[in-house]
PDB file of all heavy atoms in Angstrom:
ATOM      1  N   VAL M 189       4.887  28.575  14.777  1.00 95.00           N
ATOM      2  CA  VAL M 189       3.721  27.741  14.470  1.00 95.00           C
ATOM      3  C   VAL M 189       2.736  28.531  13.600  1.00 95.00           C
ATOM      4  O   VAL M 189       2.183  28.003  12.629  1.00 95.00           O
ATOM      5  CB  VAL M 189       3.041  27.241  15.769  1.00 95.00           C
ATOM      6  CG1 VAL M 189       1.660  26.661  15.482  1.00 95.00           C
ATOM      7  CG2 VAL M 189       3.929  26.187  16.444  1.00 95.00           C
ATOM      8  N   LEU M 190       2.557  29.821  13.917  1.00 95.00           N
ATOM      9  CA  LEU M 190       1.646  30.642  13.094  1.00 95.00           C
ATOM     10  C   LEU M 190       2.149  30.729  11.655  1.00 95.00           C
ATOM     11  O   LEU M 190       1.364  30.641  10.705  1.00 95.00           O
ATOM     12  CB  LEU M 190       1.505  32.052  13.683  1.00 95.00           C
ATOM     13  CG  LEU M 190       0.699  32.131  14.980  1.00 95.00           C
ATOM     14  CD1 LEU M 190       0.612  33.582  15.464  1.00 95.00           C
ATOM     15  CD2 LEU M 190      -0.713  31.552  14.786  1.00 95.00           C
ATOM     16  N   ASP M 191       3.459  30.881  11.493  1.00 95.00           N
ATOM     17  CA  ASP M 191       4.034  30.925  10.143  1.00 95.00           C
ATOM     18  C   ASP M 191       3.821  29.598   9.423  1.00 95.00           C
ATOM     19  O   ASP M 191       3.464  29.573   8.245  1.00 95.00           O
ATOM     20  CB  ASP M 191       5.546  31.209  10.204  1.00 95.00           C
ATOM     21  CG  ASP M 191       5.835  32.624  10.670  1.00 95.00           C
ATOM     22  OD1 ASP M 191       4.969  33.495  10.462  1.00 95.00           O
ATOM     23  OD2 ASP M 191       6.917  32.855  11.249  1.00 95.00           O
ATOM     24  N   ARG M 192       4.026  28.497  10.141  1.00 96.00           N
ATOM     25  CA  ARG M 192       3.853  27.178   9.511  1.00 96.00           C
ATOM     26  C   ARG M 192       2.410  26.972   9.076  1.00 96.00           C
ATOM     27  O   ARG M 192       2.139  26.415   8.018  1.00 96.00           O
ATOM     28  CB  ARG M 192       4.279  26.064  10.479  1.00 96.00           C
ATOM     29  CG  ARG M 192       5.791  25.968  10.630  1.00 96.00           C
ATOM     30  CD  ARG M 192       6.204  25.194  11.863  1.00 96.00           C
ATOM     31  NE  ARG M 192       5.810  23.802  11.824  1.00 96.00           N
ATOM     32  CZ  ARG M 192       5.766  23.023  12.905  1.00 96.00           C
ATOM     33  NH1 ARG M 192       6.079  23.503  14.095  1.00 96.00           N
ATOM     34  NH2 ARG M 192       5.423  21.758  12.792  1.00 96.00           N
ATOM     35  N   LEU M 193       1.493  27.456   9.923  1.00 97.00           N
ATOM     36  CA  LEU M 193       0.074  27.312   9.557  1.00 97.00           C
ATOM     37  C   LEU M 193      -0.266  28.121   8.322  1.00 97.00           C
ATOM     38  O   LEU M 193      -1.006  27.657   7.445  1.00 97.00           O
ATOM     39  CB  LEU M 193      -0.812  27.767  10.725  1.00 97.00           C
ATOM     40  CG  LEU M 193      -1.153  26.689  11.744  1.00 97.00           C
ATOM     41  CD1 LEU M 193      -1.881  27.297  12.940  1.00 97.00           C
ATOM     42  CD2 LEU M 193      -2.013  25.593  11.115  1.00 97.00           C
ATOM     43  N   SER M 194       0.297  29.333   8.224  1.00 97.00           N
ATOM     44  CA  SER M 194      -0.058  30.121   7.039  1.00 97.00           C
ATOM     45  C   SER M 194       0.576  29.528   5.782  1.00 97.00           C
ATOM     46  O   SER M 194      -0.046  29.510   4.718  1.00 97.00           O
ATOM     47  CB  SER M 194       0.200  31.623   7.228  1.00 97.00           C
ATOM     48  OG  SER M 194       1.550  31.874   7.106  1.00 97.00           O
ATOM     49  N   VAL M 195       1.775  28.991   5.912  1.00 97.00           N
ATOM     50  CA  VAL M 195       2.397  28.299   4.774  1.00 97.00           C
ATOM     51  C   VAL M 195       1.532  27.094   4.368  1.00 97.00           C
ATOM     52  O   VAL M 195       1.298  26.844   3.189  1.00 97.00           O
ATOM     53  CB  VAL M 195       3.829  27.818   5.133  1.00 97.00           C
ATOM     54  CG1 VAL M 195       4.350  26.819   4.115  1.00 97.00           C
ATOM     55  CG2 VAL M 195       4.784  29.005   5.246  1.00 97.00           C
ATOM     56  N   TYR M 196       1.022  26.390   5.375  1.00 98.00           N
ATOM     57  CA  TYR M 196       0.175  25.219   5.086  1.00 98.00           C
ATOM     58  C   TYR M 196      -1.055  25.642   4.279  1.00 98.00           C
ATOM     59  O   TYR M 196      -1.362  25.053   3.236  1.00 98.00           O
ATOM     60  CB  TYR M 196      -0.251  24.535   6.406  1.00 98.00           C
ATOM     61  CG  TYR M 196      -1.385  23.564   6.183  1.00 98.00           C
ATOM     62  CD1 TYR M 196      -1.148  22.317   5.612  1.00 98.00           C
ATOM     63  CD2 TYR M 196      -2.702  23.906   6.499  1.00 98.00           C
ATOM     64  CE1 TYR M 196      -2.188  21.436   5.349  1.00 98.00           C
ATOM     65  CE2 TYR M 196      -3.750  23.033   6.244  1.00 98.00           C
ATOM     66  CZ  TYR M 196      -3.486  21.805   5.667  1.00 98.00           C
ATOM     67  OH  TYR M 196      -4.520  20.944   5.394  1.00 98.00           O
ATOM     68  N   HIS M 197      -1.756  26.668   4.761  1.00 98.00           N
ATOM     69  CA  HIS M 197      -2.998  27.059   4.074  1.00 98.00           C
ATOM     70  C   HIS M 197      -2.719  27.537   2.646  1.00 98.00           C
ATOM     71  O   HIS M 197      -3.478  27.255   1.739  1.00 98.00           O
ATOM     72  CB  HIS M 197      -3.734  28.140   4.865  1.00 98.00           C
ATOM     73  CG  HIS M 197      -4.345  27.580   6.127  1.00 98.00           C
ATOM     74  ND1 HIS M 197      -5.252  26.551   6.112  1.00 98.00           N
ATOM     75  CD2 HIS M 197      -4.142  27.875   7.435  1.00 98.00           C
ATOM     76  CE1 HIS M 197      -5.595  26.245   7.366  1.00 98.00           C
ATOM     77  NE2 HIS M 197      -4.930  27.035   8.183  1.00 98.00           N
ATOM     78  N   GLU M 198      -1.611  28.246   2.504  1.00 98.00           N
ATOM     79  CA  GLU M 198      -1.297  28.804   1.194  1.00 98.00           C
ATOM     80  C   GLU M 198      -0.802  27.745   0.206  1.00 98.00           C
ATOM     81  O   GLU M 198      -1.251  27.680  -0.930  1.00 98.00           O
ATOM     82  CB  GLU M 198      -0.183  29.823   1.390  1.00 98.00           C
ATOM     83  CG  GLU M 198      -0.344  31.097   0.616  1.00 98.00           C
ATOM     84  CD  GLU M 198       0.721  32.067   1.076  1.00 98.00           C
ATOM     85  OE1 GLU M 198       1.808  32.050   0.487  1.00 98.00           O
ATOM     86  OE2 GLU M 198       0.467  32.787   2.076  1.00 98.00           O
ATOM     87  N   GLN M 199       0.144  26.921   0.647  1.00 98.00           N
ATOM     88  CA  GLN M 199       0.847  26.058  -0.314  1.00 98.00           C
ATOM     89  C   GLN M 199       0.465  24.589  -0.270  1.00 98.00           C
ATOM     90  O   GLN M 199       0.590  23.888  -1.265  1.00 98.00           O
ATOM     91  CB  GLN M 199       2.364  26.177  -0.081  1.00 98.00           C
ATOM     92  CG  GLN M 199       2.848  27.612  -0.183  1.00 98.00           C
ATOM     93  CD  GLN M 199       4.347  27.655  -0.395  1.00 98.00           C
ATOM     94  OE1 GLN M 199       4.878  26.980  -1.269  1.00 98.00           O
ATOM     95  NE2 GLN M 199       5.031  28.420   0.416  1.00 98.00           N
TER      96      GLN M 199
END
Side-chain angles (χ1 to χ4, degrees):
V189 166
L190 288 181
D191 291 333
R192 286 162 65 197
L193 272 173
S194 77
V195 166
Y196 165 77
H197 288 302
E198 222 172 90
Q199 303 198 50

